[in-house]
Amino acid sequence: MSGNEEHFFEGAEKLLEIWFEETSCNNDDLRNISRSDWEDVLSQVNCEIISFSKNDLIDAFVLSESSMFVSKRRWILKTCGTTTPLKCLSQLIKLASLNGYKIITDLFYSRKNFIRPEAQVTPHKGFTEEVSYLDTLFPNGRSYCLGSMNLECWYLYTFSRSDMKLSPGHMINEGVESDPDQTIEILMQNLDQNAMSVFNKKNILSASDATSMSGIDKILPNMHIDDFLFDPCGYSMNGINEKGEYMTIHITPENLFSYVSFETNVAMTNYRNLINQVINTFKPGKFIVTIFANKCSLAYETMKELEVEYSKESHWKRTDMQCCNFPSYNLLFAQYSYNGKNNCSI
């Protein structure tokens, strides 16, 4: 980079999640895919593996640009910067087929609007281009935009096999029980710079120090944490527990484009306390919350709790809220901005 070019990094991630149909063979497992094969997949994305952790139910990879999680029949890839996650889909589908999974039941691709979309590369130069690319693989996919298209918004592309006919007069058996599934994302901007100073190597010696000093280790205390502090600044962590649940946090601390994302699939009947803990840890100026939950999830009905307007004593103003009902999932989307009051809870 020349001395005249301003440093910038796009913290907002592109998030892919794919579920494959259960098979009759107990040995079929996405975790059987070798590390070298994953490295080939990620080379299509323009990122690489930094660290790895696992337990009996889930494999977790810290990447040079965010994270990847692999369980028996679910794959999650979350990458920031100018990465190209959609480019790896064909290769991923082939690898899954070789490991027994030939049918995708659900696919979700989502991201927040970029600060500098012109810096992205094909097929991520715009959501229209991303949708066109995905449609070549999933002709029955559907695309959505939540929020304000000319301000802050969140894009979503979904594919569900339950929407499709297998053959004339035959539908997918909707009576088959799916695994409980839920995901909450909190996407934060305009972060407090004192909070962000912890994620700079000028101030902190190690990732573990950053994790403990920031309070990240207290957000979901039962997680086994694998963390990484970038040089000169930036931070990523994965957490996994014995239930196969995960959490992941990624931090771009630079003041002009600060960004923090928090994501977990931990099942809760109420997410308000978790949201408050996250925003009190990082102190954003504005943030977006998205919650996905399927009909088997504890969170499916209780998402309605967040639909209630928050106390007038809160220092957060809810600027937008939208709810969507999909064939198997409910989705809640909400935006908040700081209103200057002292109460730090929503």
Side-chain angles (χ1 to χ4, degrees):
M1 178 167 58
S2 71
N4 294 327
E5 292 181 358
E6 179 185 358
H7 169 61
F8 173 77
F9 186 81
E10 189 74 64
E13 298 102 343
K14 311 168 185 85
L15 176 60
L16 261 174
E17 178 171 335
I18 298 178
W19 287 82
F20 294 88
E21 186 175 70
E22 191 73 74
T23 69
S24 58
C25 179
N26 290 331
N27 292 327
D28 291 342
D29 196 321
L30 295 176
R31 292 169 296 174
N32 292 333
I33 296 173
S34 69
R35 176 160 177 150
S36 62
D37 281 336
W38 285 130
E39 288 171 345
D40 288 342
V41 168
L42 294 172
S43 69
Q44 301 292 314
V45 184
N46 294 317
C47 63
E48 58 187 26
I49 298 168
I50 289 177
S51 186
F52 171 73
S53 59
K54 65 180 293 186
N55 60 28
D56 290 341
L57 296 174
I58 189 168
D59 291 357
F61 299 79
V62 175
L63 307 178
S64 55
E65 280 83 9
S66 302
S67 294
M68 181 172 73
F69 296 93
V70 185
S71 51
K72 181 175 173 62
R73 63 183 186 95
R74 183 195 64 203
W75 175 78
I76 298 171
L77 179 65
K78 186 171 194 169
T79 62
C80 55
T82 56
T83 50
T84 52
L86 296 186
K87 281 188 173 182
C88 79
L89 274 173
S90 295
Q91 189 172 354
L92 180 278
I93 291 168
K94 289 178 183 177
L95 283 173
S97 180
L98 291 171
N99 284 271
Y101 292 107
K102 302 182 184 300
I103 297 173
I104 292 174
T105 58
D106 289 284
L107 173 141
F108 306 93
Y109 173 71
S110 63
R111 64 170 177 85
K112 186 187 175 298
N113 61 297
F114 297 127
I115 297 174
R116 295 188 183 176
E118 70 278 3
Q120 298 295 315
V121 297
T122 298
H124 296 280
K125 289 184 175 181
F127 188 56
T128 299
E129 184 181 58
E130 291 169 322
V131 170
S132 296
Y133 189 94
L134 285 161
D135 280 347
T136 64
L137 298 171
F138 307 98
N140 294 92
R142 301 179 182 182
S143 58
Y144 307 87
C145 178
L146 286 76
S148 176
M149 291 182 68
N150 62 332
L151 295 171
E152 299 285 337
C153 63
W154 184 76
Y155 298 107
L156 171 67
Y157 183 97
T158 68
F159 166 82
S160 177
R161 189 166 177 255
S162 63
D163 293 337
M164 298 176 60
K165 288 187 177 181
L166 289 176
S167 59
H170 293 81
M171 293 294 292
I172 295 294
N173 182 2
E174 294 182 356
V176 176
E177 285 292 313
S178 59
D179 295 334
D181 182 42
Q182 57 286 312
T183 304
I184 178 171
E185 267 196 299
I186 307 172
L187 311 177
M188 296 162 274
Q189 290 179 280
N190 302 350
L191 285 305
D192 177 84
Q193 283 305 290
N194 286 330
M196 292 296 96
S197 67
V198 175
F199 307 104
N200 192 311
K201 280 198 169 181
K202 291 181 180 178
N203 306 319
I204 298 295
L205 294 177
S206 69
S208 59
D209 287 343
T211 299
S212 59
M213 290 184 67
S214 63
I216 286 173
D217 56 338
K218 298 179 178 64
I219 294 175
L220 291 171
N222 63 335
M223 292 286 179
H224 170 75
I225 290 176
D226 181 17
D227 46 19
F228 189 84
L229 188 63
F230 291 89
D231 189 9
C233 64
Y235 172 92
S236 288
M237 68 80 69
N238 291 335
I240 55 177
N241 66 21
E242 296 307 311
K243 296 179 181 179
E245 297 169 328
Y246 70 88
M247 69 178 283
T248 186
I249 295 173
H250 303 284
I251 298 174
T252 301
E254 291 95 325
N255 188 34
L256 292 177
F257 42 90
S258 61
Y259 178 87
V260 175
S261 69
F262 170 90
E263 178 185 344
T264 186
N265 70 335
V266 168
M268 294 183 177
T269 56
N270 190 319
Y271 284 108
R272 184 176 291 192
N273 289 339
L274 176 63
I275 294 169
N276 285 333
Q277 190 167 6
V278 170
I279 62 176
N280 287 332
T281 298
F282 300 111
K283 301 177 175 61
K286 58 182 179 179
F287 65 96
I288 289 172
V289 176
T290 66
I291 303 175
F292 262 109
N294 69 3
K295 294 177 182 178
C296 301
S297 168
L298 288 172
Y300 187 74
E301 292 295 335
T302 56
M303 285 166 49
K304 294 178 180 178
E305 172 73 17
L306 288 176
E307 294 180 32
V308 179
E309 186 62 64
Y310 294 117
S311 165
K312 293 181 180 179
E313 300 302 316
S314 171
H315 77 170
W316 295 103
K317 178 183 178 182
R318 191 173 69 200
T319 57
D320 200 353
M321 174 167 278
Q322 295 172 249
C323 302
C324 300
N325 295 315
F326 297 103
S328 302
Y329 285 80
N330 275 354
L331 166 65
L332 180 142
F333 164 92
Q335 290 179 299
Y336 300 87
S337 61
Y338 181 67
N339 69 13
K341 294 183 179 180
N342 292 325
N343 185 350
C344 294
S345 299
I346 57 174

